[in-house]
């Protein structure tokens, strides 16, 4: 039995998948958080959040790594941890620093920190000669405006340290760039109370479809689990509206995406103790790295992978955090593809109706999750405003996405927001 230190978590599906994987593998965990109520509020009424099933719950300022490290050392002396992990991007560098300080398995703190900072990732990949968009990083408006003219419109504006597509925008001219710059300046602290870096990343707008490469690194070897496709909507934002695993690509495009991701992981030094989700654009000029995430994929991609291959990426995440060889054996699940589609609101108001009658019984449906009427709705500007999702599988081939899209069309027909 291993004892894991879980440092914070997202409150979405991974906050449930990780405790389940820890428990089912016969391990236990201590949960470390600065705000326990953040998790209590996210649990459905009348239920306990799975993170509260921890052997110990410890409150500490997880936003102050310098003060936290000696405190965790004292905890380790008493409780004895065998591994450290988090599912929340904002605490990945902290978890890596703790593991390094305690001499526990895991990727190097510098590598994780660089992957979690989009500007650092860009510079490292550029130094390694890896394919990526033309980019510039600046803080002052005059420098940003000049760099935008040099790259050329249209382009993409990104914060360097936010997640879920927050404040990522396409801009077609200087007026739109100025509006995006002001919006970022007005958001100086992230959702977990951490002060943001005031720099802005500008990138060339890339054409072509986007995919992600799911990998598990252990013992210095990177294992490719597969490639997932991604659909994007909500322009000028870049909102993930759905995914399918495996991506319906040619063998050549699959190989190109995988090799590009492997090159990025190697350049960043993420080749041991990491479950990674690397996003790649398959452009007309060849593959380009979008970003590298040193944690399992979100948005239920981990479950798409499990439904098709039998590989549990949450369990693999636990294994590599403990320094153990992950089980990456494929099993016959009866499915050839699995897809998820998200219900993305394009208007604000109050959700009056969302009729999911009969959805659970539709052919191939694996999951349905829908918001309850009465909920306050925001027009989506990131991946944080979904009104629910539908997941379905196909036993015969790559037909899962079509099934999901047909079901979402029925949902949208009965969606009422006032």
């Amino acid at each position: 039995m291993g004892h894991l230190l879980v440092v914070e978590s997202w409150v979405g599906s991974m906050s449930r998948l990780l405790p389940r994987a820890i428990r089912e593998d016969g391990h236990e965990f201590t949960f470390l958080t600065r705000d326990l109520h953040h998790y209590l509020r996210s649990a459905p009424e009348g239920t306990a959040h799975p993170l509260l099933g921890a052997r110990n719950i410890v409150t500490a300022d997880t936003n102050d790594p310098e003060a936290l490290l000696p405190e965790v050392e004292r905890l380790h002396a008493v409780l004895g941890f065998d591994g450290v992990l988090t599912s929340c991007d904002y605490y990945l560098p902290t978890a890596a620093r703790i593991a390094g300080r305690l001499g526990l398995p895991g990727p190097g703190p510098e590598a994780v920190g660089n992957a979690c900072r989009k500007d650092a990732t860009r510079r490292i990949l550029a130094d390694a000669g890896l394919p990526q968009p033309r980019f510039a990083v600046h803080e002052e408006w005059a420098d940003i405006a000049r760099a935008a003219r040099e790259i050329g419109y249209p382009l993409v504006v990104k914060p360097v340290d936010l997640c879920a597509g927050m404040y990522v925008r396409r801009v077609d001219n200087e007026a739109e760039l100025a509006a995006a710059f002001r919006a970022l300046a007005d958001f100086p602290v992230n959702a977990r109370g951490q002060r943001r870096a005031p720099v802005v990343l500008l990138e060339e707008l890339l054409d072509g479809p986007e995919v992600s490469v799911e990998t598990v690194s252990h013992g210095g070897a990177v294992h490719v689990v597969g490639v997932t496709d991604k659909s994007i909507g909500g322009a000028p934002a870049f909102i993930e509206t759905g995914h399918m695993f495996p991506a319906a690509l040619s063998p050549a495009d699959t190989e190109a995406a995988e090799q590009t991701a492997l090159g990025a992981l190697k350049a960043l030094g993420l080749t041991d103790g990491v479950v990674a989700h690397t996003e790649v654009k398959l452009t007309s000029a060849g593959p380009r790295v979008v970003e590298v995430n040193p944690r399992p994929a979100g948005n239920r991609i981990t479950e798409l992978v499990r439904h098709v291959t039998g590989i549990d990426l949450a369990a693999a995440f636990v294994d590599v955090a403990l320094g153990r060889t992950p089980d990456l054996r494929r099993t016959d699940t009866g499915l050839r593809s699995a897809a998820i589609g998200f219900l993305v609101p394009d208007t604000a108001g109050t959700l009056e109706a969302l009729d999911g009658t009969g959805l659970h019984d539709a052919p191939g449906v694996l999951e349905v999750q829908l918001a309850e009427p009465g909920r306050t709705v925001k027009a989506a500007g990131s991946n944080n405003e979904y009104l629910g999702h539908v997941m379905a599988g196909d036993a015969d081939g790559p037909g899962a996405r079509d099934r999901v899209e047909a079901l979402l069309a029925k949902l949208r027909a009965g969606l009422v927001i006032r």
Side-chain angles (χ1 to χ4, degrees):
M1 177 186 289
H3 184 192
L4 287 137
L5 176 65
V6 177
V7 183
E8 303 288 4
S9 171
W10 290 122
V11 294
S13 62
M14 194 55 70
S15 71
R16 291 157 176 78
L17 293 176
L18 269 184
R20 183 215 72 202
I22 291 170
R23 183 176 60 254
E24 288 182 356
D25 285 351
H27 309 305
E28 59 185 3
F29 68 101
T30 288
F31 184 47
L32 182 65
T33 178
R34 65 189 290 269
D35 181 11
L36 187 58
H37 293 287
H38 180 76
Y39 303 93
L40 294 172
R41 291 191 297 268
S42 73
E45 187 175 351
T47 66
H49 197 287
L51 288 166
L52 302 187
R55 170 181 160 186
N56 311 287
I57 298 174
V58 179
T59 301
D61 189 357
T62 51
N63 284 354
D64 185 354
E66 300 308 323
L68 184 65
L69 286 169
E71 188 166 348
V72 170
E73 281 186 311
R74 290 190 290 271
L75 285 172
H76 181 51
V78 175
L79 300 176
F81 303 121
D82 301 298
V84 185
L85 50 70
T86 181
S87 70
C88 182
D89 296 56
Y90 299 137
Y91 296 98
L92 288 166
T94 299
R97 288 187 64 183
I98 291 171
R101 182 76 162 256
L102 302 183
L104 297 176
E110 183 178 3
V112 173
N114 287 334
C116 290
R117 279 284 301 243
K118 295 178 178 66
D119 52 341
T121 298
R122 286 277 171 252
R123 293 183 179 114
I124 289 169
L125 298 188
D127 289 344
L130 289 170
Q132 56 177 342
R134 289 178 293 138
F135 71 96
V137 183
H138 293 291
E139 181 175 347
E140 301 298 329
W141 166 249
D143 296 324
I144 291 168
R146 184 183 67 254
R149 290 190 294 270
E150 292 171 354
I151 294 173
Y153 294 99
L155 50 76
V156 180
V157 178
K158 292 182 178 182
V160 299
D161 51 6
L162 289 177
C163 310
M166 292 184 68
Y167 293 92
V168 179
R169 295 291 182 272
R170 168 181 169 147
V171 296
D172 291 302
N173 52 55
E174 193 164 296
E176 292 179 1
L177 176 63
F181 173 75
R182 289 193 298 270
L184 267 177
D186 290 340
F187 193 73
V189 177
N190 69 25
R192 294 305 182 94
Q194 299 168 335
R195 184 153 294 276
R196 293 190 46 255
V199 295
V200 175
L201 174 62
L202 303 179
E203 293 181 355
E204 167 193 11
L205 180 67
L206 300 174
D207 64 3
E210 185 171 328
V211 300
S212 61
V213 182
E214 322 309 335
T215 56
V216 179
S217 305
H218 178 71
V222 183
H223 305 272
V224 176
V225 175
V227 180
T228 311
D229 78 4
K230 178 185 297 188
S231 55
I232 302 291
F238 294 84
I239 300 171
E240 296 179 0
T241 60
H243 303 276
M244 185 171 76
F245 182 90
L249 299 175
S250 69
D253 280 344
T254 299
E255 175 73 7
E258 292 177 354
Q259 291 304 313
T260 300
L262 292 173
L265 292 169
K266 182 178 179 180
L268 287 163
L270 294 170
T271 57
D272 196 12
V274 184
V275 178
H277 169 72
T278 303
E279 296 172 344
V280 176
K281 272 270 195 180
L282 297 173
T283 79
S284 56
R288 299 289 184 268
V289 178
V290 176
E291 62 183 46
V292 180
N293 301 283
R295 43 81 179 159
N299 266 354
R300 304 296 282 170
I301 291 173
T302 52
E303 291 301 274
L304 299 181
V305 172
R306 184 179 63 83
H307 280 301
V308 175
T309 69
I311 295 172
D312 187 340
L313 289 174
F317 192 31
V318 171
D319 285 334
V320 298
L322 291 167
R324 303 184 181 192
T325 302
D327 184 359
L328 302 179
R329 292 172 297 177
R330 294 173 181 262
T331 58
D332 183 2
T333 65
L335 292 180
R336 298 285 301 280
S337 67
I340 188 168
F342 300 100
L343 192 60
V344 181
D346 57 8
T347 186
T350 300
L351 178 63
E352 286 201 356
L354 180 55
D355 186 6
T357 303
L359 234 61
H360 290 86
D361 299 322
V365 167
L366 300 168
E367 286 183 15
V368 177
Q369 181 178 315
L370 302 175
E372 294 290 333
R375 169 175 163 174
T376 300
V377 178
K378 289 175 56 180
S382 71
N383 299 338
N384 295 323
E385 286 86 33
Y386 299 138
L387 293 179
H389 70 257
V390 178
M391 184 187 294
D394 181 11
D396 300 318
R401 177 180 289 285
D402 289 342
R403 289 187 179 184
V404 163
E405 290 300 329
L407 294 169
L408 281 177
K410 292 181 180 179
L411 271 178
R412 293 188 191 103
L415 173 64
V416 180
I417 300 173
R418 298 192 192 280

